[in-house]
């Protein structure tokens, strides 16, 4: 299909000029509404293509799909069919949506197939097995090193030799729209003799992009950087909530735990790797040279604009960060090769995230920790508001989109309101 | 029932004096054999009680259990019924096995119900959602601090204020009997200018005990130490394989990752909390006093003997460590309270492990890192063998059992052979 070309595609669906969900995108998600039980959809404009109805109407009859494959509560079984099948399904839908294709456009079931996005509740798209959080933006790792450790030796010695990462909590990954409670926990600043306890005073977002794996490996096997993209189904925006005061006190020597695992929010539409092909860009020069298992023949970096907004309760949203997914020292192929080089097995539906994506300028930092430099400089918002960290009642919104040669695709948003501690 | 008493129970099943699987134990597991598909069993002596056959024969008909509840590939659905039900099921089996109860003893289906343990293949008992590894033995944390960091400040400032822990990898948790491949990875000693790459030269076991959660919580909620045991279904032995050279280079600042996530082995029989009640002992004095959410009214420590053996290929097994689960500064109720104090939600089938359980004496250390003091002093084995770390072809065996007032219960073993790197 047209994913890596700039051929103009027109669709009979009304799609506004700034829609993230163009005919070039067609991300997969799981939705339900008042009438419909959970099912697989593909987003276009303000509509969702209900794949289960398309299937019932025989539009996939030549593909011999398992019965009810689009009526599951997650995409895992669909993704498990393999990329050959999921690509075919997406291409079939793209074809059916083309302006001059009358098969669905003029079909009597069209009204049943096309569901209003506004009336749908989006569910967690994937049952996530294991979740890994990398730390792959050099600017972020440097900023955190300066704030939490030593400004003179901010980047630790291993950082340029491997995509440093750690395992996070899967149970608390929630879809956009689900509010979170401010976490409670221990904290201790150098001035305190004993640790204190209470609701976090330094609740923060982390602007990240995560990929969902689409293929499994066996224990003992590794995935090469050359093969890595075969194992990547698609991408979501990821807000990896953090409590900086809890994190700072707990994280030595085993890494972040309660400072992170209370909640992580993802955008509900999984944008496929195929849709993002067109937005590949060259990656950074890696100096010193990396070990052979981390070297790449091809580019695996993507030019995706990322934005963060804070919306205080009852007020306007203010943009607080503009970053880009290409601001990554380590790419997705290197992350996957590293994750599996020791024989660690992956399953369909694992999630691996970028870590906070910060650019070089202060307006491109991907967390309040960096934007306010650990609370030292408050960020000005609209309507006279200002923030060092996230306050109760605030909604944090992340957006992501790519534009090139008149083609636009986007992630929609991940939007989360913070409720007071329980 | 009789779990917390010393009333002598006799069974019509032949159980040898040193069996781990006495009438007092009755752990749950999932097994299959050449004839039988995966199903739930309870171990007694050299037999497995096939619960699915008991169910078919009507022995649970008054309990209104979901159809096929004992024919799943994991215990998750059974555990999800709740402790009231699973306790009743175990008590029913215990009752049926009593010497003077003729119902099963003299039943025509007895032969079909009682399966030979030798002929059964034990599967992973639980589909593990999230896995947390704590670090709750003070002796282990002190030893590791001395070896990896600073002998003068071995225990970090947070350690006595919280059960430090981190999230591990669930996908690579395997049952006893599954061999593992030596992991490959990066390592760098202070003498090296650049990191090297290859099979780990410091492959290690970690002697741990893990608990399986039996009840879920909602995001935002916390479990108190007083309620914690309601959320614990049972316990397994846990060998948390580690590659010390990979770990030492990668672990700052986000904690262990590839040095741990290639494999973790568990014993296949889940010993219930009820069975272990009889072996509770007082815990250590905690000084300084812990924060209120970590205080306990009752004891949650268990006197369970733990042993590690190394068996070189074709040779005798040698015992290299004798430790005890009571060697824990932080108990299971404190671990669960800490895990959820920030609102992190848990699901049925999560696993939370102790961390390496080392005692005070060198013969009670729970890892080769400590036993050989990072390779400096080799451990002597039988038949002229010696080890600093684990070599290819070695089998590591862990055993665990409790004995008191003539009552013995045990975990069986977790046994894993190490194959050369792939």
């Amino acid at each position: 299909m047209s994913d890596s070309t700039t051929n103009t595609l027109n669709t009979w669906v009304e799609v506004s000029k700034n829609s993230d969900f163009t005919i070039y995108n067609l991300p997969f998600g799981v939705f339900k509404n008042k009438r419909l039980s959970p099912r697989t959809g593909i987003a276009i404009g303000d509509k969702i293509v209900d794949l289960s109805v398309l299937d019932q109407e025989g539009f996939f009859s030549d593909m011999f799909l398992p019965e009810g494959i689009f009526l599951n509560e997650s995409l895992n079984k669909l993704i498990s069919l393999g990329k050959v099948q999921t690509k075919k399904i997406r291409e079939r839908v793209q074809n059916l949506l083309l302006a001059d294709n009358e098969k669905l456009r003029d079909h009597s079931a069209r009204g049943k197939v096309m569901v209003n996005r506004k009336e749908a509740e989006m569910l967690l798209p994937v049952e996530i097995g294991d979740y890994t959080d990398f730390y792959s933006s050099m600017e972020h790792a440097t900023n955190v090193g300066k704030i939490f450790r030593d400004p003179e030796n901010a980047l630790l010695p291993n950082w340029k030799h491997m995509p440093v990462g750690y395992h996070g909590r899967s149970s608390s990954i929630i879809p956009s729209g689900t509010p979170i409670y401010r976490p409670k926990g221990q904290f201790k600043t150098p001035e305190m003799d004993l640790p204190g306890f209470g609701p976090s005073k330094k609740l923060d977002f982390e602007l990240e992009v995560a990929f969902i794996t689409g293929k499994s490996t066996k224990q003992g096997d590794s995935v090469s950087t050359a093969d890595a993209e075969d194992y990547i189904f698609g991408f979501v925006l990821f807000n990896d909530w953090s409590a900086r005061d809890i994190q700072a006190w707990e994280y030595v020597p085993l890494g972040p735990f309660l400072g992170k695992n209370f909640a992580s929010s993802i955008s509900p539409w999984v944008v496929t790797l195929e849709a993002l092909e067109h937005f590949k860009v060259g990656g950074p020069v890696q100096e010193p040279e990396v070990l052979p298992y981390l070297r790449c023949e091809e580019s695996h970096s993507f030019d995706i604009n990322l934005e963060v907004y804070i919306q205080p309760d009852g007020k306007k949203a203010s943009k607080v960060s503009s970053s880009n997914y290409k601001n990554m020292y380590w790419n997705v192929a290197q992350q996957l090769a590293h994750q599996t080089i020791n024989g660690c097995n992956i399953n369909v539906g694992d999630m691996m995230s970028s870590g906070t994506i910060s650019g070089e300028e202060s307006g491109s930092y991907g967390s309040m920790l960096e934007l306010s430099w650990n609370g030292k400089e408050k960020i000005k918002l609209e309507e006279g508001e200002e923030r060092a960290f996230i306050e109760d009642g605030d909604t944090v919104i992340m957006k992501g989109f790519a534009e090139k040669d008149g083609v636009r695709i986007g992630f929609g948003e991940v939007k989360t309101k913070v409720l007071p501690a329980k």
Side-chain angles (χ1 to χ4, degrees), chain A:
Chain A
M1 293 294 289
S2 56
D3 287 325
S4 51
T5 76
T6 56
N7 291 343
T8 304
L9 299 180
N10 293 307
T11 171
W12 50 261
V13 183
E14 201 181 320
V15 180
S16 69
K17 214 187 154 187
N18 289 321
S19 176
D20 282 350
F21 303 123
T22 60
I23 182 83
Y24 302 98
N25 190 354
L26 304 181
F28 288 88
V30 179
F31 73 100
K32 66 176 183 180
N33 66 21
K34 280 179 193 162
R35 287 180 305 112
L36 305 171
S37 61
R39 58 197 53 214
T40 307
I42 278 183
I44 178 142
D46 295 329
K47 299 286 183 184
I48 299 171
V49 182
D50 184 335
L51 298 191
S52 72
V53 178
L54 273 191
D55 193 25
Q56 282 155 22
E57 295 293 336
F59 284 100
F60 302 118
S61 59
D62 56 324
M63 292 188 194
F64 305 103
L65 301 175
E67 211 184 311
I69 188 73
F70 300 119
L71 287 170
N72 293 305
E73 292 192 12
S74 76
L75 299 175
N76 295 53
K77 281 185 184 162
L78 175 63
I79 298 173
S80 298
L81 297 178
K83 211 173 254 214
V84 172
Q85 285 285 49
T86 54
K87 272 174 82 170
K88 267 192 203 162
I89 291 165
R90 184 168 161 274
E91 287 169 2
R92 172 68 46 87
V93 171
Q94 191 172 50
N95 205 268
L96 288 170
L97 297 174
L98 289 178
D100 56 3
N101 187 333
E102 79 289 352
K103 281 185 195 152
L104 177 59
R105 187 191 68 196
D106 302 341
H107 196 282
S108 61
R110 172 176 155 173
K112 215 175 144 198
V113 170
M114 306 302 287
V115 176
N116 286 330
R117 239 179 354 102
K118 269 192 190 161
E119 290 157 21
E121 181 190 341
M122 298 305 301
L123 307 180
L124 199 69
V126 178
E127 199 180 318
I128 295 159
D130 281 293
Y131 147 49
T132 301
D133 199 23
F134 287 97
Y135 191 56
S136 292
S137 147
M138 187 162 69
E139 288 72 21
H140 172 68
T142 305
N143 288 337
V144 173
K146 282 181 186 170
I147 293 168
F148 275 0
R149 288 178 294 273
D150 178 4
E152 303 303 311
N153 294 289
L155 218 53
L156 289 166
N158 56 16
W159 200 90
K160 286 196 167 182
H161 293 286
M162 63 172 72
V164 169
Y166 70 105
H167 287 294
R169 181 100 190 160
S170 299
S171 72
S172 53
I173 299 175
I174 48 178
S176 179
T178 307
I180 66 164
Y181 296 94
R182 178 176 297 271
K184 291 170 291 188
Q186 292 191 29
F187 43 84
K188 185 179 171 300
T189 54
E191 308 82 55
M192 296 164 74
D193 288 334
L194 286 171
F197 176 85
S200 169
K201 291 169 187 161
K202 293 189 174 179
L203 181 62
D204 200 358
F205 58 79
E206 291 199 325
L207 172 60
E208 307 197 14
V209 172
F211 68 85
I212 308 282
T213 53
K215 199 173 161 181
S216 301
T217 63
K218 282 191 185 149
Q219 220 157 340
D221 288 349
S222 305
V223 176
S224 68
T225 56
D227 291 342
E229 290 195 356
D230 293 345
Y231 291 80
I232 296 175
F233 174 71
F235 295 80
V236 292
L237 294 175
F238 186 59
N239 180 356
D240 196 21
W241 290 97
S242 299
R244 299 303 180 184
D245 41 2
I246 297 173
Q247 182 185 352
W249 168 231
E250 75 172 354
Y251 90 103
V252 282
L254 300 183
F257 184 50
L258 298 189
K260 301 275 191 178
N261 66 9
F262 56 95
S264 314
S265 309
I266 66 174
S267 56
W269 291 105
V270 185
V271 176
T272 64
L273 181 66
E274 291 73 53
L276 290 170
E277 276 291 340
H278 184 56
F279 304 97
K280 273 193 177 160
V281 286
V285 176
Q286 293 186 317
E287 184 58 47
E289 192 181 27
V290 299
L291 282 163
Y293 81 92
L294 291 169
R295 290 179 200 155
C296 299
E297 294 288 325
E298 289 171 25
S299 166
H300 305 282
S301 294
F302 300 88
D303 183 357
I304 301 172
N305 301 293
L306 301 169
E307 298 175 340
V308 186
Y309 298 77
I310 297 176
Q311 182 170 23
D313 211 8
K315 303 213 167 176
K316 272 189 207 162
S318 303
K319 195 198 286 189
V320 296
S321 177
S322 297
S323 187
N324 194 300
Y325 191 35
K326 71 184 175 191
N327 289 335
M328 298 269 293
Y329 191 84
W330 297 102
N331 66 47
V332 291
Q334 292 175 317
Q335 289 168 347
L336 197 45
H338 188 62
Q339 172 83 66
T340 59
I341 188 60
N342 67 343
C344 175
N345 55 317
I346 59 170
N347 290 314
V348 169
D350 289 345
M351 204 178 90
M352 302 192 193
S353 194
S354 56
T356 307
I357 304 165
S358 294
E360 287 181 17
E361 330 263 293
S362 66
S364 66
Y365 294 168
S367 67
M368 291 303 285
L369 178 75
E370 295 162 88
L371 288 165
S372 75
W373 212 254
N374 202 14
K376 284 187 191 132
E377 302 158 34
K378 286 193 173 180
I379 299 297
K380 299 243 175 275
L381 308 184
E382 303 212 35
E383 302 189 66
E385 294 278 334
E386 52 177 23
R387 287 289 181 278
F389 288 96
I390 303 302
E391 297 189 3
D392 289 348
D394 287 355
T395 296
V396 173
I397 304 156
M398 293 179 179
K399 298 183 182 184
F401 59 95
E403 272 178 319
K404 187 181 155 193
D405 310 322
V407 172
R408 177 183 163 113
I409 74 172
F411 287 79
E413 61 183 23
V414 52
K415 185 174 178 173
T416 316
K417 186 167 184 172
V418 174
L419 305 177
K422 254 193 176 177

